[in-house]
Amino acid sequence: MADFSRPGSLYGAVDLGARKQAFEAQARREAGGPQAASSASVVDVTEETFTTDVIDRSMSVPVVLDLWSPRAPGSAQLSPVLEKVVGDLGGKAVLAKVNVDASPQIAQALRVQAVPTVLAIFQGQAVTGFQQVLPEQEVRRWLDELMAAVEQFYQANPGARPPAEGPGEPEGPPADPDLVAAEQAIDQGDLDAAEAAYARLLARVPADEDAKMGLAGVKLIKRTAGADPADVQRRLQDPADIDAHLLAADLEMLSGSVDQAFERIIGVVKRTSGDDRDKARVHLLGLFETLPAEDPSLAKARRALASALF
């Protein structure tokens, strides 16, 4: 049974949004444009800047997330150690500091049970972490293991490695103003403005894949904004409640269970006909647009959908 209890906004950023951001970061690298992250090794993060300072940055370098509280003595011991060991990497990693008292939604979304908690975010995903005060030697060992895993990832996926920066390199073309406006609106929580900005861009450039993904993602978040997870789980007991199954798939997408969401809707397609089948098919195609064209889950789901239809 799917778990729909997670808060949608930040989990959307950490899970589904990571796939979108990975594609966008790769597109910027291929275009020679500037990366979203700055060169600062330490940054204070709030709920408003989480996407930019953590998710976007993690597409280029691992981000060490220090979830701390001024009320926790352990934070006062661990935070300076983290700043030192991450700083010693010379920009190969970023330390993002989150005061959980000032930004409780981040702590809630990441299910932080105690502080200090340290998480490593890479390619938009939490890959490792710990929840206790460690001596500097242990922190360095943990960080060395993280950086080794990152290097293994780049060796297996050489196209994902960010290019080396050098002086005098020309910057790529500036980002489209509507794309910038949409991203800023999302950071501010104004989904209507983001949707309008993406729509304007698509009206001018119908094939813009960034805008297609962004618009589909915004619509997904808006559809699930008022959903009651407990009610959705109850309604799923009725196979004939098509809307419940489509909403459940939306929630699964936001929680990062992409394949499960696709399989759910394809199951609806298989057991329905007429308008219900077409409704499920169109809904699934809309979810397809939230992912980059190269995402392996898409090819698998498209084959399954074709099999279900024909």
Side-chain angles (χ1 to χ4, degrees):
M1 184 67 69
D3 177 10
F4 302 139
S5 62
R6 304 194 214 181
S9 58
L10 281 178
Y11 272 103
V14 173
D15 296 316
L16 175 61
R19 302 165 84 114
K20 173 179 180 292
Q21 294 288 350
F23 177 82
E24 292 176 344
Q26 177 65 18
R28 285 194 292 269
R29 288 194 290 269
E30 292 172 353
Q35 297 297 313
S38 72
S39 59
S41 294
V42 181
V43 61
D44 289 316
V45 176
T46 66
E47 290 165 1
E48 291 74 21
T49 63
F50 184 87
T51 297
T52 300
D53 287 343
V54 177
I55 302 302
D56 286 359
R57 286 184 175 216
S58 76
M59 300 306 160
S60 301
V61 294
V63 175
V64 177
L65 197 60
D66 177 16
L67 297 131
W68 67 280
S69 168
R71 298 178 291 106
S75 293
Q77 300 176 45
L78 182 61
S79 290
V81 174
L82 290 170
E83 291 183 15
K84 180 180 179 182
V85 297
V86 173
D88 287 346
L89 291 176
K92 294 180 180 179
V94 171
L95 176 63
K97 299 171 63 66
V98 178
N99 181 342
V100 298
D101 295 341
S103 299
Q105 188 181 0
I106 295 177
Q108 179 186 10
L110 296 176
R111 295 185 174 181
V112 174
Q113 302 297 319
V115 288
T117 288
V118 177
L119 296 173
I121 310 296
F122 183 61
Q123 297 287 299
Q125 301 290 334
V127 295
T128 183
F130 57 89
Q131 258 190 350
Q132 70 262 39
V133 178
L134 297 178
E136 181 177 331
Q137 182 179 0
E138 292 298 318
V139 174
R140 287 189 183 278
R141 181 179 296 114
W142 173 81
L143 193 56
D144 287 344
E145 292 174 355
L146 169 65
M147 300 308 293
V150 168
E151 181 59 29
Q152 289 178 358
F153 170 84
Y154 283 138
Q155 289 177 0
N157 302 273
R161 187 188 295 273
E165 297 181 0
E169 293 182 350
E171 291 190 353
D176 187 284
D178 280 324
L179 188 61
V180 173
E183 293 173 348
Q184 290 175 343
I186 290 173
D187 287 342
Q188 296 165 4
D190 191 344
L191 296 181
D192 289 337
E195 184 174 0
Y198 283 131
R200 289 195 302 269
L201 176 52
L202 286 171
R204 292 186 288 106
V205 190
D208 190 293
E209 194 164 6
D210 282 359
K212 287 181 180 179
M213 292 166 58
L215 181 59
V218 167
K219 289 181 176 180
L220 171 63
I221 295 172
K222 291 179 70 173
R223 285 198 305 269
T224 57
D228 180 353
D231 182 60
V232 174
Q233 291 282 19
R234 177 185 59 77
R235 291 170 57 193
L236 287 178
Q237 304 305 312
D238 180 6
D241 191 341
I242 303 302
D243 289 337
H245 285 270
L246 299 185
L247 182 55
D250 285 346
L251 292 169
E252 287 165 339
M253 288 290 289
L254 282 183
S255 71
S257 300
V258 173
D259 293 331
Q260 185 174 344
F262 289 166
E263 290 169 3
R264 179 183 296 280
I265 300 182
I266 290 169
V268 174
V269 171
K270 288 180 178 179
R271 65 175 182 269
T272 56
S273 60
D275 291 343
D276 284 344
R277 168 181 271 205
D278 192 58
K279 181 177 183 178
R281 179 187 64 83
V282 170
H283 195 95
L284 181 59
L285 294 179
L287 292 185
F288 284 172
E289 291 190 344
T290 66
L291 300 181
E294 296 85 353
D295 195 297
S297 292
L298 282 181
K300 176 183 174 182
R302 290 187 190 279
R303 290 193 299 268
L305 177 60
S307 177
L309 290 172
F310 307 109

